[in-house]
Amino acid sequence: MEDTKLPKKILKEKQIFRGYNNAPMKWSDIKNLELEDDDIIHSGWVDDDNFDYHGYWNNQITRMVEETDEQFEKRIASNKRSEEEMKKRRYESYLRLKKEFEQQ
C-alpha cells in the first residue's frame, strides 16, 4: 500500500522554444527541435505599441517534465516553512481571540 502523505515529484512546465517575430512561427523555425507528442505549441499576436507594427508574434513551445531533485527539495522546504508560518499565525490569532473573549 502506497503512503499518500509522502510528497511526490510533480510535473513542471519547461520552455523548449521561445521566439518573438514580426511573422507567425513557421516549420523552418522549429524543425531542428526534437518535439514530443505532448508538447504544447503557442503562437499568437500580442498587441504592443512599443514594437514595430504595434505588436509582435509570441511563439512558444512548452513541455511538462518531472521536477529535478533540487526543485523538489526546494519546494518541500518552502511548503514546510509556509506551513510553520501559518501555524504560528493561527496560534497568534487564537491568543488574541482568547484574550478578547476572556475580557468579556
Side-chain angles (χ1 to χ4, degrees):
M1 188 157 103
E2 191 175 317
D3 186 1
T4 58
K5 295 214 177 216
L6 290 176
K8 297 179 182 177
K9 287 190 176 184
I10 60 173
L11 294 178
K12 306 272 290 180
E13 202 172 85
K14 179 181 178 184
Q15 204 81 60
I16 303 301
F17 174 82
R18 172 178 257 155
Y20 305 101
N21 301 319
N22 290 333
M25 183 169 31
K26 297 181 290 189
W27 173 245
S28 61
D29 297 333
I30 61 171
K31 68 180 179 184
N32 61 329
L33 301 175
E34 292 184 30
L35 299 176
E36 296 179 4
D37 290 342
D38 293 333
D39 289 348
I40 301 168
I41 300 171
H42 304 274
S43 184
W45 180 258
V46 178
D47 286 321
D48 192 336
D49 291 334
N50 295 325
F51 285 83
D52 293 342
Y53 310 109
H54 301 287
Y56 58 92
W57 283 93
N58 180 17
N59 305 309
Q60 299 179 34
I61 299 176
T62 55
R63 179 178 298 156
M64 299 305 288
V65 295
E66 190 174 80
E67 66 187 340
T68 64
D69 291 339
E70 182 181 326
Q71 290 171 326
F72 174 76
E73 290 170 10
K74 188 176 180 180
R75 179 175 58 85
I76 296 305
S78 175
N79 289 351
K80 187 175 181 179
R81 281 191 307 273
S82 294
E83 216 172 89
E84 290 168 357
E85 184 62 32
M86 287 188 307
K87 186 175 182 177
K88 180 182 171 189
R89 287 184 198 157
R90 286 194 312 270
Y91 185 68
E92 290 169 353
S93 294
Y94 161 76
L95 292 176
R96 278 194 310 274
L97 289 169
K98 182 179 175 186
K99 183 179 177 181
E100 179 183 330
F101 285 102
E102 284 176 346
Q103 292 174 356
Q104 292 180 355

